[in-house]
Amino acid sequence: MSSHPLLRSRFLPNLLRAHTRTFTSTPRANLAKMTIVGRLAAEPELTATSTGQEMVRYAVGTSYGPKDNKQTSWFRVASFENEGPRRDYLMGLQKGTLVYLEGDASMRTFDDSEGKQRSALSIVQRTIEVLKRPENRTEDPM
């Protein structure tokens, strides 16, 4: 038996089972997940879909690259939290809040107003965690 503690542990059978896929005749569902760490571009806003379902929309920005040539990527996110404390918490987040976000991602294509074909990445939030809130800068009224 190996000397590695993981291989000696009682969790090894479960670990191996987790990485094997059992045979099935149904096709595997297409699923893309994204993990994003970034800052809120603005306060989240409550909107409604074309079917009337309420959703919270917000954008998260991530920056990368050297200080003199920083690049920013923006991700538009939708959350379908039901009315309650979780949605209230999300709606109370301020612009600049550093968040850790996990969501389901999908690409869609559409024709813009000029007839050009465009594509957009849609992210539906699964979980969100606040990593750091922005500093409240109060200005001196004098």
Side-chain angles (χ1 to χ4, degrees):
M1 185 139 211
S2 173
S3 62
H4 191 278
L6 182 62
L7 296 178
R8 287 190 315 242
S9 77
R10 60 188 162 101
F11 300 108
L12 181 60
N14 291 334
L15 182 65
L16 291 175
R17 194 175 315 123
H19 291 290
T20 60
R21 183 171 178 228
T22 59
F23 177 76
T24 179
S25 60
T26 58
R28 186 173 181 182
N30 292 332
L31 181 68
K33 290 186 180 184
M34 289 193 73
T35 301
I36 301 169
V37 175
R39 295 195 179 272
L40 293 182
E43 284 78 19
E45 59 183 38
L46 185 63
T47 60
T49 64
S50 59
T51 61
Q53 182 180 8
E54 289 184 333
M55 70 175 176
V56 177
R57 299 187 85 165
Y58 58 95
V60 176
T62 61
S63 297
Y64 56 93
K67 283 187 176 184
D68 59 342
N69 192 21
K70 233 180 232 302
Q71 303 287 322
T72 302
S73 295
W74 296 99
F75 299 93
R76 285 178 269 166
V77 183
S79 172
F80 292 93
E81 290 287 346
N82 293 323
E83 191 172 352
R86 290 175 61 153
R87 185 164 83 182
D88 294 342
Y89 177 77
L90 181 60
M91 292 294 296
L93 296 178
Q94 297 177 337
K95 175 182 178 178
T97 301
L98 183 65
V99 296
Y100 170 91
L101 165 75
E102 291 181 356
D104 296 330
S106 62
M107 289 292 293
R108 64 181 179 87
T109 57
F110 61 95
D111 293 328
D112 67 8
S113 59
E114 297 173 357
K116 295 180 183 176
Q117 192 171 45
R118 304 274 184 178
S119 60
L121 176 66
S122 299
I123 301 171
V124 176
Q125 170 197 312
R126 283 190 169 255
T127 61
I128 188 168
E129 289 183 40
V130 172
L131 300 178
K132 185 177 180 184
R133 294 187 183 270
E135 295 177 14
N136 288 334
R137 295 185 184 131
T138 57
E139 294 184 24
D140 189 16
M142 304 252 182

